[in-house]
Amino acid sequence: MEFRIERGALAEAVAWAARVLPVRSPVPVLGGLLLDMESGGGGRDGTGVGTGAGRLRISGLDYEASARIDVEAEALSPGKVLVMGRRLLDICKVLPDGPVECAVEGSRFTVSGDGARFGLSVLPLDDYPALPPLPQVRGAVDAELFAAAVADVAVAAGRDDTLPALTGIRLGLDGDTMTLAATDRYRFAVRTVPWKATAPGESADVLVSARRLTEIARSLGRSGLVSVALDAGSAGFEHAGMRTTVRLLESRLPRHEKLFAMEDPAEAVVDRARLTEAVKRVSVVADGDSPVQMTFSRADASVTLRAGYEDDVASQRLPAALEGAEELTVAFNPGYLADALATFTGPSLRLRLMGAGQRAMITDEADTGGHRHLLMSVRAQLA
């Protein structure tokens, strides 16, 4: 096996495939990346070695996920090799820019470029498990919309692995709509995006690790379509020569429809950027999880934010339009509130408020239903 490739292309491909490698594994070969060089044909150089454009496929996997990426490389001799993935990634990061030559020499895989040369021991190919196949493709979604939607709901996913269902993102497919949702019991984020089903009436409702899905969405690129594949036990995503699979979580998230139904709430409209900055500003004095309190006044057309206790306090007043109540005070965990506000991009936000200690819904002012973030307010009286 021998091939030539630009350092940047090799480094990017190795980094993408290495995302799924376990940090520690009792099975050494699972720390490896499989490099498969296929010749694309071509002529021969002065030494009689075949040359030509070819495809280098780099693959990695652990017990939960797999990744595979195809990149162009000049094939000098086809073949396969398994090497320690993180060590290869470290080497790629320090290689000089320019063309890199890689080859298997006996029991060693060599990487050289611009006078620098590295050697890596080769792992046994026979012990390496086969990559799981891509499940049935159900349709495709815009890569940029998908990445944004995953990021918007992932902030609400739980971090406690003892409650696995709450660490996931619900991926629901129904007709021409994809619904993503996540909750940690204190907040619930939902985002819907259009998608193209492969067949009419295509539907599914699965739960994918929020951490894994966030990594996948970030890495797949920001243009074109992402193919979405699902079966009973795994989800797969494919885009521009990159393919990845992830095992589904066995649990299910609670449905959000009834929770999101709010009868006769007060509604406030406020400038998104100014509210975001005000929350960040007053939270400086909010120790730990002490809340940020928001008092809305219809008569003054304002909202006053307060945080802190005793002499360590902060406040800021902003314009806000309130309907459905003359005055209303609610309070939120400052981190949860800041996370929610950061997922919106419109100029103004609409807040539906039920009162202290009850649900509060944040949407863009127009509230088309595509992006909603539910927070539980807390009962707090600040000095």
Side-chain angles (χ1 to χ4, degrees):
M1 176 194 191
E2 186 175 1
F3 62 89
R4 185 180 294 116
I5 188 173
E6 286 294 316
R7 185 208 69 85
L10 179 63
E12 289 180 8
V14 168
W16 193 84
R19 295 176 305 104
V20 301
L21 298 182
V23 177
R24 296 181 182 85
S25 173
V27 183
V29 292
L30 290 184
L33 286 179
L34 178 64
L35 279 62
D36 184 355
M37 185 69 236
E38 292 187 2
S39 174
R44 292 183 176 271
D45 62 16
T47 65
V49 177
T51 63
R55 183 201 67 189
L56 174 64
R57 173 168 290 174
I58 304 177
S59 309
L61 78 162
D62 71 0
Y63 296 111
E64 301 295 331
S66 72
R68 193 191 82 186
I69 183 169
D70 293 345
V71 291
E72 291 185 359
E74 183 182 354
L76 304 178
S77 176
K80 297 181 181 181
V81 66
L82 183 67
V83 297
M84 292 303 297
R86 297 190 188 280
R87 178 61 58 84
L88 179 59
L89 179 58
D90 290 340
I91 290 171
C92 290
K93 290 177 180 178
V94 299
L95 278 169
D97 287 331
V100 174
E101 292 192 8
C102 303
V104 176
E105 299 176 358
S107 61
R108 177 181 295 172
F109 179 67
T110 63
V111 183
S112 59
D114 195 21
R117 182 178 174 87
F118 297 86
L120 278 171
S121 56
V122 172
L123 299 173
L125 274 172
D126 292 342
D127 295 340
Y128 195 65
L131 260 69
L134 190 71
Q136 177 187 352
V137 175
R138 302 296 189 94
V141 61
D142 180 84
E144 185 175 8
L145 279 179
F146 180 63
V150 171
D152 287 344
V153 303
V155 297
R159 308 292 189 268
D160 185 355
D161 290 333
T162 64
L163 300 170
L166 300 184
T167 66
I169 290 178
R170 176 191 170 223
L171 185 62
L173 308 177
D174 186 8
D176 59 359
T177 301
M178 172 186 286
T179 300
L180 298 103
T183 181
D184 62 0
R185 295 183 297 177
Y186 305 105
R187 45 190 173 167
F188 207 134
V190 175
R191 175 82 188 269
T192 59
V193 294
W195 92 304
K196 299 179 180 179
T198 55
E202 192 73 67
S203 64
D205 193 345
V206 300
L207 194 63
V208 185
S209 161
R211 180 179 64 83
R212 294 284 192 184
L213 193 58
T214 298
E215 290 177 351
I216 291 168
R218 285 175 178 170
S219 69
L220 285 177
R222 298 288 177 164
S223 62
L225 295 176
V226 173
S227 295
V228 180
L230 295 172
D231 61 20
S234 63
F237 305 88
E238 190 169 26
H239 174 67
M242 296 175 284
R243 173 185 290 187
T244 186
T245 64
V246 59
R247 184 179 297 177
L248 298 176
L249 299 177
E250 296 181 358
S251 304
R252 290 288 183 269
L253 283 188
R255 304 290 294 192
H256 64 272
E257 288 83 356
K258 290 184 178 180
L259 188 65
F260 279 27
M262 303 173 70
E263 186 175 349
D264 297 326
E267 296 192 12
V269 175
V270 61
D271 181 272
R272 178 192 58 82
R274 295 187 67 180
L275 178 59
T276 301
E277 286 301 314
V279 170
K280 185 184 302 183
R281 189 169 292 123
V282 302
S283 295
V284 169
V285 298
D287 294 330
D289 293 332
S290 64
V292 169
Q293 180 177 285
M294 304 169 68
T295 300
F296 294 88
S297 171
R298 182 174 182 176
D300 294 339
S302 69
V303 56
T304 301
L305 287 79
R306 296 184 177 86
Y309 294 100
E310 298 179 351
D311 293 330
D312 298 322
V313 294
S315 66
Q316 182 167 357
R317 186 180 179 188
L318 301 174
L322 180 66
E323 296 291 337
E326 292 301 317
E327 186 171 285
L328 186 66
T329 297
V330 290
F332 300 100
N333 175 297
Y336 291 174
L337 181 57
D339 285 345
L341 297 178
T343 64
F344 291 91
T345 57
S348 299
L349 297 177
R350 182 177 300 277
L351 282 71
R352 290 187 168 88
L353 308 166
M354 300 297 291
Q358 300 187 58
R359 292 165 292 158
M361 177 75 73
I362 304 175
T363 69
D364 286 315
E365 182 180 1
D367 187 17
T368 59
H371 181 196
R372 297 185 171 190
H373 198 114
L374 190 77
L375 287 175
M376 290 301 299
S377 63
V378 298
R379 296 184 181 276
Q381 295 296 325
L382 304 185

